[in-house]
Amino acid sequence: MALLCRVAAASLRVSRSRPLVAATVRASSAGAQYQHILVEKKGERGNVGFIQLNRKKALNALCDELMREVGLALDEFENDPEIGAIVLTGSEKAFAAGADIKEMVDKTFQECYAGNFLTHWNHVTTGKKPVIAAVNGYALGGGCELAMMCDIIYAGDKAQFGQPEILLGTIPGAGGTQRLTKAVGKSLAMEMVLTGDRISAQEAKASGLVSKVFPASDVVDEAIKCGEKIASNSKLIVAMAKEAVNGAFELTLAEGNRLEKRLFHSTFSTNDRKEGMNAFVEKRKANFTDQ
């Protein structure tokens, strides 16, 4: 099946308007090849990593090889000192319409349990650099889960979000029941998971799932602008801020406040905290060095 996945995506390669960080046919640092994603540096300073899912005919169904390539690309950007934020997107028709069901249909419980099926998807959540999802079209099942793994979600005005696994006789398996509930609350999450119903971009914003909605043609550019704004700050302090906010999802209020205080105090050991405050006092722009 993985071979079929690779063959199907081979016909989808498109011409690129600028040099790629890791071209779709070039071996990555881990020795793999990008066949299902496009990877570039974006922004005026080239400081925003850009990953585009590229299985258009399959509506960017998340086959195993594609998700492994996403992990490799994230690692490359994580280790690139020029990159301060990462944008993850799909096509205008589909961010990702779900996991690749053809890869799942014949799996057994023993295979899933022994192989920790889908566990490697969580790699999206482990980096220190912020990841912004730019969602157009369908973000369903695994696609919705992938978007929710990102730190910020921007949506095109025609985007649709949903967890329709119940219609296939299963349930979300990559965080859908957990992250969706934390984002939109129990009632809406329960309705979406138990019925398979979708919500629009506007409903997603109203419920807190996405932060902003833009015209479909603008959402990627707006996500890159957000990435540039983040990348202009100290990468060290951005990582601390991300850790503190993520702590709110996993810790009690008291524990989260303790984590925040420790990280806040830690900023006083950095050159960038001193530079930032001095720049404010001196009424000039800060020159952060990520130290």
Side-chain angles (χ1 to χ4, degrees):
M1 184 58 63
L3 176 61
L4 292 176
C5 181
R6 288 195 292 272
V7 171
S11 62
L12 303 178
R13 295 172 190 159
V14 297
S15 61
R16 273 78 74 188
S17 60
R18 57 181 293 174
L20 299 183
V21 174
T24 56
V25 296
R26 197 195 81 182
S28 73
S29 57
Q33 288 186 335
Y34 293 146
Q35 297 183 359
H36 308 304
I37 63 175
L38 304 176
V39 184
E40 304 179 57
K41 286 184 179 180
K42 295 279 192 176
E44 291 183 3
R45 298 185 178 182
N47 56 4
V48 178
F50 185 79
I51 302 172
Q52 182 175 14
L53 309 183
N54 191 38
R55 295 189 69 207
K56 293 181 181 178
K57 288 185 178 179
L59 296 178
N60 289 328
L62 303 173
C63 65
D64 185 70
E65 189 62 28
L66 181 150
M67 288 304 298
R68 293 191 185 280
E69 289 181 4
V70 168
L72 288 172
L74 288 171
D75 284 343
E76 289 193 27
F77 286 137
E78 192 72 23
N79 295 322
D80 187 335
E82 295 181 354
I83 297 299
I86 302 163
V87 170
L88 177 64
T89 193
S91 67
E92 191 162 323
K93 188 173 183 179
F95 175 75
D100 194 328
I101 304 305
K102 292 179 181 179
E103 286 189 344
M104 294 186 184
V105 67
D106 293 322
K107 282 190 176 292
T108 64
F109 162 75
Q110 290 84 352
E111 289 177 304
C112 292
Y113 187 76
N116 283 323
F117 184 46
L118 300 186
T119 299
H120 65 288
W121 285 31
N122 290 330
H123 191 64
V124 176
T125 69
T126 61
K128 293 184 179 297
K129 295 179 181 179
V131 181
I132 305 163
V135 178
N136 267 321
Y138 302 120
L140 306 176
C144 187
E145 290 172 311
L146 178 59
M148 291 190 292
M149 291 179 192
C150 299
D151 300 297
I152 298 170
I153 304 177
Y154 279 7
D157 55 1
K158 304 300 183 184
Q160 297 182 41
F161 298 84
Q163 298 291 162
E165 290 87 350
I166 196 76
L167 306 178
L168 302 180
T170 187
I171 69 171
T177 62
Q178 305 303 301
R179 293 189 177 94
L180 185 63
T181 304
K182 290 180 182 294
V184 307
K186 177 184 176 182
S187 182
L188 181 54
M190 193 70 81
E191 180 183 9
M192 291 173 67
V193 170
L194 297 186
T195 66
D197 287 350
R198 307 170 187 177
I199 60 173
S200 67
Q202 293 73 22
E203 290 171 313
K205 183 179 186 302
S207 65
L209 181 60
V210 309
S211 58
K212 292 182 179 178
V213 176
F214 300 96
S217 59
D218 297 340
V219 64
V220 172
D221 288 339
E222 292 294 337
I224 292 169
K225 289 178 184 177
C226 179
E228 288 183 287
K229 187 177 293 186
I230 292 170
S232 69
N233 296 312
S234 165
K235 298 179 184 63
L236 181 62
I237 304 303
V238 164
M240 291 182 177
K242 173 178 171 175
E243 181 180 353
V245 174
N246 281 336
F249 283 87
E250 300 178 0
L251 304 172
T252 65
L253 179 59
E255 292 169 337
N257 278 330
R258 283 195 292 271
L259 172 64
E260 180 186 82
K261 282 293 187 296
R262 286 196 295 270
L263 290 168
F264 168 65
H265 294 159
S266 296
T267 66
F268 283 79
S269 68
T270 68
N271 295 336
D272 283 343
R273 192 282 313 169
K274 185 175 182 179
E275 165 63 15
M277 291 188 177
N278 283 337
F280 178 82
V281 171
E282 297 166 7
K283 294 181 171 56
R284 60 176 175 82
K285 185 177 180 180
N287 180 27
F288 295 122
T289 59
D290 306 323
Q291 298 293 323

